[in-house]
Amino acid sequence: MRISTLFYLIKQGMKNIYRNKMFSLASIATMTACIFLFGLFFSLVTNFRHIVKVAEEGVGVTVFFNEGLSESEIQELGKKIEKRDEVMHITFVSAEEAWEEYQQVYFKEHPELADGFKDDNPLANSAHYEIFLKSVEKQDSLVDYLTSLEGVRRVNHSDVVANTLTDVNMIVAYVSVAIIIILLAVAIFLIGNTITVGIAVRKEEIAIMKLIGATDIFVRAPFVIEGAVIGLVGSAIPLVIIYILYNKVIQFMAEKFSILSLEFLPVDNIFRYLLPVSLAIGLGVGLFGSLTTIRKHLRV
Amino acid sequence: MIHLENVRKEYIEGNAAVNGIALHVEKGEFVFVVGDSGSGKSTLIKLLLKELEPTDGEIVVNRTHLKSLKKKEIPLFRRNIGVVFQDFRLLKDRNVYENIAFAQRVIETSTKKIRKNVPAMLSLVGLAGKYRSYPKQLSGGEQQRVALARALVNEPTLLLADEPTGNLDPKNSWEIMKLLEEVNRRGTTVLVVTHNREIVDAMKKRVVTMKKGVIISDEKKGGYLYEN
């Protein structure tokens, strides 16, 4: 295809958009709403996952040993645990360190009370491994494994925290996917409608083109370009809006809920994925909407 | 150029719009096809353009057997045929220049060639000074001349005109016919479907007369035989 023909077809696609101003605007607005909500959910989910991740890193499993276990046996146990897929990292806390930490927490105000114990460590049997997981979902399988290990006296973990985090994660993911699918279907329908009107308006022109000897590609290309441009513009507008709003919102949230000390992702981190994914969705929806309509209404 | 053998077209089964016609038009000929409404003239044009498939028979246009022509080959086949209609079928939102250039765009002619060909064609049809005008600013005769320029700009070997003077007054009708004659003199085969008795009688060209889907007369240098 000649470059001049390509430019001509692009120009015709743009003209189509201009000719059906109202329908084009409606399609762009729907696409904008769709991608805006997608961006919103994406930002929410990504930040939520980030916050959950940080929380997950804080969720640990504690393993206490049988009385009288030697240092080498404890080290052997540590190596076995470290090798597990679920484990991110483990920390050994000796009985002395445990007592030290206990004093810091409970006898901070009255250190003299701890003096009564002198060298007699009341937590003598409290040496343990603190195990941090890659993901809380894997906690159950790890706990089962740890309990089965020889030399392990007790395994402390929190089912409630792990299960709640997993459940909330799943609910947010399902709800957002469902809403986005509905919005995308609406966008495809509206773009299809716009193209149908465009075809109806240009019916005579298309008939003439066919009689003169226009190829299928030549007749169809402006409508495909129209759909693609609507999709791209409809996805670019909300990206700009989200980019501007994002920083303001996280700043507001951080100030308003400072007590929760929430840690949000910077806008660049969000846009590294949101930008290409949104543009691809916009382009994909535009192309899909126009191609299916052309196939249905434009038999050349 | 055009060869039809035993061509039949039925829109409704048992009711033929064209009923077993045979017609042979050689390269460079000028032929009038006359007949009343429903005689099958317009169906004939549509069959020649492969807008319609014949129910039966063989059609060859420009050495192309239309029966074996694949769908994707139709655009290329049509590029050698110019078409003019009674209602001009110009694009109302484009000016004269753009209407003619449109035909060249469709067959992917370079912009450089379009800039050369369109003014030349406008000169041929006598509208060089009106290239910026829009169809609604032109008279019927001028609009038909633009349609003719659009049909000819791709240098077709065959020109099909379906009632080209149907919407024109006698003066403009004659001007269009003169142009068609000029086009034919330059080597293009011309087939004109018409009702215009005066022009057919005066031009002394080959006249094919159709009635109820069959050819009832085919005369060289003939006249308008058909009586309503």
Side-chain angles (χ1 to χ4, degrees):
Chain A
M1 187 183 279
R2 286 175 179 279
I3 297 285
S4 59
T5 305
L6 186 69
F7 279 119
Y8 176 78
L9 294 174
I10 292 171
K11 198 173 151 192
Q12 292 309 309
M14 298 298 185
K15 272 190 179 174
N16 282 356
I17 294 173
Y18 183 73
R19 273 185 208 146
N20 305 323
K21 279 188 279 287
M22 294 317 288
F23 280 93
S24 302
L25 279 175
S27 299
I28 289 172
T30 315
M31 198 68 219
T32 299
C34 180
I35 297 293
F36 182 77
L37 283 172
F38 170 73
L40 209 66
F41 281 113
F42 183 86
S43 306
L44 269 174
V45 170
T46 314
N47 269 300
F48 184 78
R49 281 183 172 278
H50 174 68
I51 290 164
V52 167
K53 190 84 192 159
V54 171
E56 277 175 355
E57 282 164 12
V59 175
V61 175
T62 315
V63 176
F64 295 93
F65 319 112
N66 285 341
E67 233 171 282
L69 214 60
S70 70
E71 214 167 289
S72 61
E73 282 171 320
I74 290 173
Q75 275 176 5
E76 200 57 42
L77 261 179
K79 279 178 193 165
K80 274 186 189 170
I81 295 167
E82 248 178 339
K83 275 182 193 163
R84 294 287 296 186
D85 281 344
E86 304 95 327
V87 175
M88 188 164 67
H89 67 93
I90 68 171
T91 315
F92 177 72
V93 180
S94 67
E96 291 71 32
E97 284 167 336
W99 175 228
E100 199 70 35
E101 201 177 309
Y102 191 90
Q103 289 179 77
Q104 284 291 320
V105 176
Y106 297 102
F107 299 129
K108 204 176 174 185
E109 305 291 320
H110 307 283
E112 67 280 1
L113 292 174
D115 288 346
F117 293 98
K118 296 246 167 120
D119 295 331
D120 187 16
N121 184 352
L123 300 179
N125 271 325
S126 294
H128 62 269
Y129 279 123
E130 277 180 0
I131 304 165
F132 296 92
L133 299 163
K134 284 177 184 162
S135 165
V136 279
E137 290 156 30
K138 294 167 183 168
Q139 185 178 271
D140 285 348
S141 66
L142 183 72
V143 169
D144 287 345
Y145 170 75
L146 294 172
T147 320
S148 70
L149 282 176
E150 210 162 303
V152 169
R153 174 161 52 98
R154 204 173 76 222
V155 178
N156 278 1
H157 66 279
S158 170
D159 275 339
V160 180
V161 175
N163 293 338
T164 308
L165 287 179
T166 309
D167 290 350
V168 173
N169 240 346
M170 296 300 281
I171 288 168
V172 171
Y174 284 141
V175 170
S176 49
V177 165
I179 291 174
I180 287 160
I181 286 173
I182 292 167
L183 285 169
L184 285 178
V186 173
I188 289 170
F189 172 76
L190 274 170
I191 288 175
N193 248 8
T194 309
I195 303 289
T196 308
V197 172
I199 290 171
V201 168
R202 294 182 62 201
K203 208 173 174 183
E204 200 181 358
E205 187 179 334
I206 291 164
I208 295 166
M209 283 163 96
K210 283 158 72 180
L211 282 176
I212 292 171
T215 56
D216 286 5
I217 291 175
F218 193 91
V219 176
R220 289 173 171 172
F223 298 107
V224 177
I225 290 164
E226 183 182 354
V229 170
I230 287 174
L232 278 176
V233 173
S235 57
I237 293 169
L239 285 175
V240 174
I241 297 171
I242 291 170
Y243 193 89
I244 296 165
L245 281 181
Y246 186 85
N247 280 329
K248 292 187 176 172
V249 170
I250 60 167
Q251 199 181 339
F252 172 80
M253 294 282 280
E255 281 169 15
K256 192 86 177 166
F257 304 102
S258 56
I259 194 160
L260 296 174
S261 64
L262 296 171
E263 193 186 314
F264 294 101
L265 286 164
V267 72
D268 289 349
N269 276 27
I270 297 285
F271 268 68
R272 191 177 301 150
Y273 300 104
L274 183 62
L275 184 80
V277 170
S278 298
L279 290 177
I281 290 175
L283 186 66
V285 166
L287 287 176
F288 183 77
S290 57
L291 286 172
T292 47
T293 311
I294 288 165
R295 190 171 289 180
K296 197 172 162 192
H297 295 287
L298 192 62
R299 296 191 186 281
V300 288
Chain B
M1 180 59 67
I2 298 172
H3 298 282
L4 285 89
E5 276 308 334
N6 196 28
V7 172
R8 203 157 57 84
K9 175 64 190 175
E10 289 180 359
Y11 291 104
I12 304 163
E13 211 179 315
N15 192 358
V18 168
N19 199 356
I21 62 168
L23 177 67
H24 302 277
V25 177
E26 297 307 319
K27 191 169 180 263
E29 269 195 276
F30 190 118
V31 182
F32 282 118
V33 178
V34 300
D36 65 348
S37 299
S39 62
K41 307 184 305 286
S42 294
T43 301
L44 175 66
I45 295 263
K46 285 179 178 171
L47 286 168
L48 293 174
L49 283 165
K50 204 174 162 68
E51 270 196 276
L52 291 175
E53 292 292 335
T55 311
D56 215 346
E58 188 75 27
I59 304 172
V60 180
V61 180
N62 256 337
R63 293 184 190 151
T64 306
H65 289 260
L66 300 197
K67 197 181 261 179
S68 58
L69 197 65
K70 288 176 187 144
K71 193 176 171 285
K72 65 174 181 184
E73 294 168 337
I74 295 173
L76 224 60
F77 158 74
R78 286 182 180 161
R79 288 177 188 187
N80 284 314
I81 304 173
V83 204
V84 177
F85 298 96
Q86 180 177 353
D87 56 358
F88 324 130
R89 297 199 192 171
L90 298 176
L91 301 172
K92 293 170 188 70
D93 61 336
R94 294 176 209 195
N95 65 26
V96 168
Y97 182 94
E98 288 163 347
N99 262 284
I100 300 166
F102 174 69
Q104 297 244 278
R105 286 282 181 213
V106 163
I107 63 161
E108 297 183 37
T109 309
S110 70
T111 307
K112 198 177 164 189
K113 277 188 182 168
I114 292 174
R115 283 188 188 139
K116 195 180 128 205
N117 294 343
V118 175
M121 205 43 65
L122 279 167
S123 293
L124 176 76
V125 298
L127 287 173
K130 297 213 168 182
Y131 69 98
R132 278 184 170 167
S133 304
Y134 283 83
K136 65 178 178 188
Q137 296 170 309
L138 302 174
S139 70
E142 286 170 330
Q143 287 190 54
Q144 193 59 293
R145 278 191 268 165
V146 176
L148 189 58
R150 185 182 66 191
L152 295 172
V153 74
N154 293 337
E155 298 176 355
T157 50
L158 171 66
L159 180 72
L160 302 175
D162 191 1
E163 302 277 6
T165 60
N167 283 353
L168 305 179
D169 57 32
K171 183 176 167 283
N172 277 309
S173 296
W174 270 112
E175 279 177 8
I176 291 297
M177 280 303 163
K178 292 259 170 62
L179 277 170
L180 290 177
E181 205 170 20
E182 171 63 17
V183 168
N184 177 241
R185 202 181 55 74
R186 291 180 180 208
T188 306
T189 308
V190 178
L191 188 141
V192 182
V193 167
T194 186
H195 269 117
N196 197 319
R197 171 187 290 272
E198 193 190 333
I199 283 171
V200 174
D201 285 342
M203 284 180 75
K204 298 287 176 210
K205 301 286 184 187
R206 181 180 168 190
V207 180
V208 174
T209 308
M210 289 183 76
K211 186 178 183 181
K212 291 180 180 169
V214 294
I215 293 173
I216 57 165
S217 152
D218 186 350
E219 288 186 6
K220 289 198 170 178
K221 297 191 177 180
Y224 197 99
L225 288 180
Y226 192 79
E227 295 293 338
N228 287 316

